Amino acid sequence: MAASLTTQREPRPLRVLLVDDDPDYCALVRLRLARAPNLHHALDIVHDVDQALGLILTNRHDVYLMDYELGAGNGLDLVRHARAKGRIGPFVMLTGAAVPELDEEALGAGVTDYLLKSEMTSDNLARTIRYAVERHRMTEALSAREQAWRVVLEAADGLLVVDLAGVVLFANPAAESAFTSRRGSLVGTPLGYQLKPGETAQLVVRRRGQV
């Protein structure tokens, strides 16, 4: 009797970069992450802002944890520099006190979420990281869909979306230009050409005076 063995590849760990200039606090974060339930991760720690920015720009990590106070600089400046160079996170700010003005400034700078150090348990830390990563992925997915629609809108070929009765629901600028000279006048009007559900049709539009 022959036996076959199958192996499953272990999922890639969530790559976390911690930026903090306090070695004791870094050790505490490492301990909290080690005890976090169901958080398969790999942690890197840096204490220097310039080194942190260099690592962020390599795009090797899935989430960035950073203290607000980082020696001569601060975490918000680091986020701003990273975003200015094309990295959009996700960034989680670790703060010592709840200051509404700081929260607003952090969100405006591009911070995905923040966590009070006094409330940092293993559960809270893991939950905050998962939320930040998931929110970042959703934001990137929305951005990709927006980019796809932008391609459609700017396409040289006309594109119409109609309902089963042949009424125009959407028309990109190229289609508007082909059918009419007034922007937005096609939507809501009957096309005069009915389609079957799921059918795609190609129409050839000839302007008056053209062959």
Side-chain angles (χ1 to χ4, degrees), residues 161-182:
V161 178
V162 299
D163 62 14
L164 293 179
V167 177
V168 177
L169 301 177
F170 169 81
N172 72 346
E176 293 276 4
S177 176
F179 282 90
T180 179
S181 60
R182 291 187 300 151

Side-chain angles (χ1 to χ4, degrees), residues 19 49 52-53 56 66 70 74-82:
V19 185
V49 173
L53 181 59
I56 292 173
M66 56 190 62
L70 293 172
N74 62 62
L76 289 186
D77 289 337
L78 179 57
V79 172
R80 292 188 182 100
H81 290 321

Side-chain angles (χ1 to χ4, degrees), residues 22-102:
D22 183 350
D24 292 335
Y25 186 72
C26 290
L28 178 61
V29 173
R30 184 186 294 277
L31 179 63
R32 292 285 189 266
L33 285 174
R35 295 178 176 177
N38 304 318
L39 186 66
H40 182 43
H41 71 280
L43 177 65
D44 291 322
I45 298 175
V46 292
H47 308 291
D48 179 77
V49 173
D50 292 334
Q51 184 183 4
L53 181 59
L55 280 175
I56 292 173
L57 296 182
T58 64
N59 196 26
R60 294 205 313 254
H61 297 87
D62 301 300
V63 62
Y64 309 96
L65 309 178
M66 56 190 62
D67 191 5
Y68 174 74
E69 297 181 357
L70 293 172
N74 62 62
L76 289 186
D77 289 337
L78 179 57
V79 172
R80 292 188 182 100
H81 290 321
R83 288 179 62 86
K85 293 182 178 294
R87 291 299 303 136
I88 58 175
F91 302 103
V92 176
M93 189 68 62
L94 304 173
T95 62
V99 181
E101 294 79 7
L102 178 59

Side-chain angles (χ1 to χ4, degrees), residues 101 145 150 201:
E101 294 79 7
R145 283 196 288 268
R150 190 173 297 110

Side-chain angles (χ1 to χ4, degrees), residues 115-189:
L115 181 64
L116 292 177
K117 292 184 176 182
S118 59
E119 298 178 356
M120 190 189 67
T121 64
S122 293
D123 288 339
N124 284 347
L125 183 56
R127 187 181 305 112
T128 300
I129 288 175
R130 291 192 183 101
Y131 169 79
V133 171
E134 184 59 29
R135 182 177 177 182
H136 178 68
R137 288 173 179 168
M138 291 176 61
T139 300
E140 286 196 323
L142 287 173
S143 178
R145 283 196 288 268
E146 289 176 359
Q147 179 62 29
W149 270 110
R150 190 173 297 110
V151 171
V152 170
L153 289 172
E154 297 175 356
D157 294 332
L159 175 66
L160 294 174
V161 178
V162 299
D163 62 14
L164 293 179
V167 177
V168 177
L169 301 177
F170 169 81
N172 72 346
E176 293 276 4
S177 176
F179 282 90
T180 179
S181 60
R182 291 187 300 151
R183 183 75 179 270
S185 59
L186 274 179
V187 175
T189 61

